Amino acid sequence: MFFERIYEKGLAQASYIVGCQATKEAIVIDPKRDIDTYFEIAERENLRITHIAETHIHADFLSGSLELAHETGAKIYLSNEGGNDWQYQFDHIGLKDGDIIKIGNINLEVMHTPGHTPEHISFILTDLPASKEPSMIFTGDFVFVGDVGRPDLLEKAAGYEGTMIAGARQMFQSLKRFKELPDHLQVWPAHGAGSACGKSLGAVPSSTIGYEKLSNWALKINDEETFIRTLLDGQPEPPKYFAMMKKLNKIGPRVLGSVPHPARLSVARFKDSIQNNYQIVDTRDKLSFAGGHILGSLNIQDNNSFSTWAGWMLEYDRPIILIARERRVDALNRALIRIGIDNLEGYISDIDKLESSGMDIEILNQISVNELNQDISKYKVIDVRSYTEYDISSIPESVNIHAGQLEKNLDKISKEEELVVYCASGDRSAIAASFLLKKGFSKVYNLSGGINSWFQAGYKINRGTIKESEPANII
């Protein structure tokens, strides 16, 4: 049997390719949308991708199943569990609990595991030439290493009222079945640390059922009501784009055919684009952006959080232009199409050319923790981290507005006030500050070093009800 895990750091998302070396058939489980990765693996291993499967209707990335089926002719196997509201709306082979997918000499048995979503299924793998006993389970967003999938996304992100408690109860029952499986089974989840699909995912890529029973908090709670309270408490804010992903993955994402190549723009073309209301995303580091950037641009740094923040901050129906290093454009473009942002029109890599052409350049003001502490009453201080982080500790008199929620809370901020925004270290607050500048707030300061520097300086902090040792997902 051939097995390989493909991990996309930006979304902390894992997909898998499993092949039968005797028949050369292979299956891809939970594929991402830029599918050339799977072709390279299949070619290298002399395999044919004949099957595609998904564990559930994903909320955090756009599925590559249709893309892969279009290129290979492989059959798509998807859950038909969960009731009428949770049926995929494009051609597929439907799966129910107990069904078996055969890939050469490999069996994948379907296990209905609702909780994260009603239709969620897991796949139990048996490599028949080696043993009649199963060896792996692909758990999707059901069980992670050290955590379980959150049941509140449908209600919080997709607007399905009343589903949160019901999902938590389903998760409790699904975990009972999970605990009855053999301890030796390897657990391969769809996400790792950094994903917003749980609150305390481990960084280790896989585990076993036996170890999870020993170490995973969710498997150690036997009282259903206690489990529900604990599961729903402290979940991070779901990114805004999750609702869009849920909708598109259910009806079927648009097939691209190949990864598009955005154009390198001339200064003249760049200026024309600004006139046409394009979104300008400056991916340089926060200090370079603060030192001088194009008026109206948004600072989303080129790092592992780029996809998530693009999903929070960008509008899907407006074209985008990047300011980015030439060698990073392909990676950034892929990060965007993985969450369904297909309208990247082009990029420019040399901001000096824009400045020398006479374009307006503005500066993002910085303020040190010492300066803020000396005259804090002069400012309105906004904490743009998650609610959980804010509750653990915050700067006195600050208010909490998550960076991704600023747009719908602009009425709580006055353009006459001097605003200081902060996060943990200054990355997220750079995004928030650039957004406020873009919206016409001119008196904006980014707190250098964030609350981490405030701590180091020994200044007073507020503490809430959540203890620091409890899990908090930083997004």
Side-chain angles (χ1 to χ4, degrees), residues 141-160:
D141 288 21
F142 168 39
V143 174
F144 303 119
V145 176
D147 200 2
V148 295
R150 56 192 296 186
D152 59 321
L153 283 179
L154 296 180
E155 188 160 337
K156 290 181 179 175
Y160 291 91

Side-chain angles (χ1 to χ4, degrees), residues 294-353:
I294 298 298
L295 193 69
S297 56
L298 191 65
N299 183 210
I300 305 178
Q301 296 181 84
D302 176 6
N303 56 31
N304 284 342
S305 299
F306 179 79
S307 296
T308 299
W309 283 107
W312 267 114
M313 307 303 293
L314 297 180
E315 298 172 35
Y316 272 71
D317 56 355
R318 286 177 57 200
I320 296 163
I321 289 176
L322 293 183
I323 295 173
R325 290 172 292 172
E326 179 100 27
R327 62 186 173 82
R328 291 292 302 159
V329 171
D330 179 63
L332 293 167
N333 181 39
R334 287 172 182 264
L336 292 174
I337 65 173
R338 286 175 192 140
I339 57 169
I341 298 178
D342 300 343
N343 50 356
L344 176 57
E345 293 291 325
Y347 69 94
I348 197 158
S349 56
D350 189 352
I351 195 169
D352 291 337
K353 286 185 179 176

Side-chain angles (χ1 to χ4, degrees), residues 259-465:
V259 176
H261 298 284
R264 183 169 60 182
L265 304 179
S266 64
V267 171
R269 174 88 182 276
F270 184 87
K271 288 181 176 179
D272 287 344
S273 300
I274 289 181
Q275 297 299 321
N276 287 305
N277 203 28
Y278 282 34
Q279 300 176 92
I280 310 300
V281 181
D282 190 329
T283 66
R284 295 177 299 153
D285 68 81
K286 60 192 176 197
L287 294 179
S288 297
F289 180 87
H293 58 268
I294 298 298
L295 193 69
S297 56
L298 191 65
N299 183 210
I300 305 178
Q301 296 181 84
D302 176 6
N303 56 31
N304 284 342
S305 299
F306 179 79
S307 296
T308 299
W309 283 107
W312 267 114
M313 307 303 293
L314 297 180
E315 298 172 35
Y316 272 71
D317 56 355
R318 286 177 57 200
I320 296 163
I321 289 176
L322 293 183
I323 295 173
R325 290 172 292 172
E326 179 100 27
R327 62 186 173 82
R328 291 292 302 159
V329 171
D330 179 63
L332 293 167
N333 181 39
R334 287 172 182 264
L336 292 174
I337 65 173
R338 286 175 192 140
I339 57 169
I341 298 178
D342 300 343
N343 50 356
L344 176 57
E345 293 291 325
Y347 69 94
I348 197 158
S349 56
D350 189 352
I351 195 169
D352 291 337
K353 286 185 179 176
L354 299 176
E355 186 173 5
S356 60
S357 74
M359 293 198 70
D360 292 333
I361 300 291
E362 71 175 354
I363 292 170
L364 170 56
N365 296 316
Q366 307 291 302
I367 186 170
S368 70
V369 291
N370 295 333
E371 291 169 321
L372 178 61
N373 186 59
Q374 286 170 10
D375 202 6
I376 195 167
S377 60
K378 176 182 172 185
Y379 304 98
K380 183 181 182 78
V381 183
I382 305 173
D383 184 323
V384 296
R385 302 174 298 161
S386 69
Y387 168 74
T388 303
E389 292 172 276
Y390 178 76
D391 190 76
I392 291 171
S393 57
S394 61
I395 293 176
E397 306 304 321
S398 62
V399 296
N400 179 223
I401 304 177
H402 186 280
Q405 305 285 356
L406 274 170
E407 181 154 30
K408 67 180 184 182
N409 287 286
L410 288 178
D411 59 342
K412 298 175 182 173
I413 311 169
S414 167
K415 289 181 178 174
E416 302 306 314
E417 294 175 297
E418 297 205 58
L419 308 174
V420 173
V421 292
Y422 77 89
C423 59
S425 62
D427 283 7
R428 285 172 286 176
S429 57
I431 297 172
S434 71
F435 176 81
L436 290 171
L437 288 176
K438 182 169 169 285
K439 290 293 182 181
F441 291 81
S442 58
K443 302 173 184 176
V444 181
Y445 298 83
N446 188 18
L447 183 63
S448 299
I451 197 169
N452 291 343
S453 292
W454 187 267
F455 273 124
Q456 290 169 4
Y459 295 136
K460 182 183 176 183
I461 59 169
N462 287 343
R463 293 194 181 277
T465 57

